[in-house]
Amino acid sequence: SSVETSIASVAQYIAQQEKDPFLRVKALHDYVADRIAYDAPSYFAGEYPPQDAETVFQRRVAVCAGYAKLLEALGQAIGEEIIYVTGDSRSSTSDLEGQSHAWNAAKVNGRWYLIDATWDSGSVDRASGFSKSYRTDYLFPPAEVMGITHFPEDSAWQLRAQPISRGEFLRQPILRPQFFADGMKLLSPVRSQTDTTGNATLQIQN
């Protein structure tokens, strides 16, 4: 806690403690996901205070833009190539149209990876606000897994060999990273919405 006086001092402390490049970027992610609380009141009111990195660092609350800008700034302070990515995301409440969102991409050992510290910090609902629950589901997930719920404005940040269209993005069934980490694959249905007149049947490869 004694080094939490500035963005630069936090980043330098982390860099001194962690020499492995992947674990160093993970530690930056962990700092943001753990230290910042999601600003649920501002989100549901649709009125946001400044989301620049310095303001977020001081206030310790933010929406997605603030999380991503702080992670970007921490990386810049120690020469880590972490960039700010904007686009749309899908959740169980916005699966058909998506909503504006921000996350990051980080270059580690010459290769780009995707990160969403906001989604790794906890969950939000209108009744209870923000519930803190740290995880690493959205730390370096495969591009195809991140691409189920995140659609960047710049298709280059899909990090796919063959980028998908917005229509293809919205038609995908929503599956969480843990589904794939557990070694499973959804064979059918292949769309987010299906019609049936009888039993709904899912085929999952385990």
Side-chain angles (χ1 to χ4, degrees), residues 104-151:
N104 297 97
K107 196 173 189 179
V108 186
N109 289 344
R111 182 178 173 185
W112 287 100
Y113 296 86
L114 299 167
I115 303 173
D116 191 338
T118 308
W119 283 24
D120 279 344
S121 69
S123 59
V124 178
D125 66 57
R126 192 176 291 274
S128 58
F130 174 66
S131 298
K132 182 176 178 179
S133 179
Y134 165 82
R135 58 186 177 179
T136 56
D137 288 7
Y138 296 93
L139 174 68
F140 310 143
E144 292 75 14
V145 173
M146 188 76 152
I148 289 175
T149 50
H150 293 64
F151 188 77

Side-chain angles (χ1 to χ4, degrees), residues 90 95-96 165-174 190-193:
R90 298 192 307 155
D95 61 328
L96 297 181
S165 68
R166 181 175 175 80
E168 291 173 308
F169 166 68
L170 294 173
R171 284 193 293 271
Q172 300 174 104
I174 291 183
V190 295
R191 295 199 172 203
S192 58
Q193 288 191 313

Side-chain angles (χ1 to χ4, degrees), residues 19-40:
K19 302 305 181 184
D20 180 277
F22 278 101
L23 295 180
R24 188 162 55 244
V25 173
K26 177 186 181 293
L28 298 176
H29 157 277
D30 290 355
Y31 181 84
V32 176
D34 180 63
R35 291 293 200 276
I36 307 303
Y38 193 84
D39 192 352

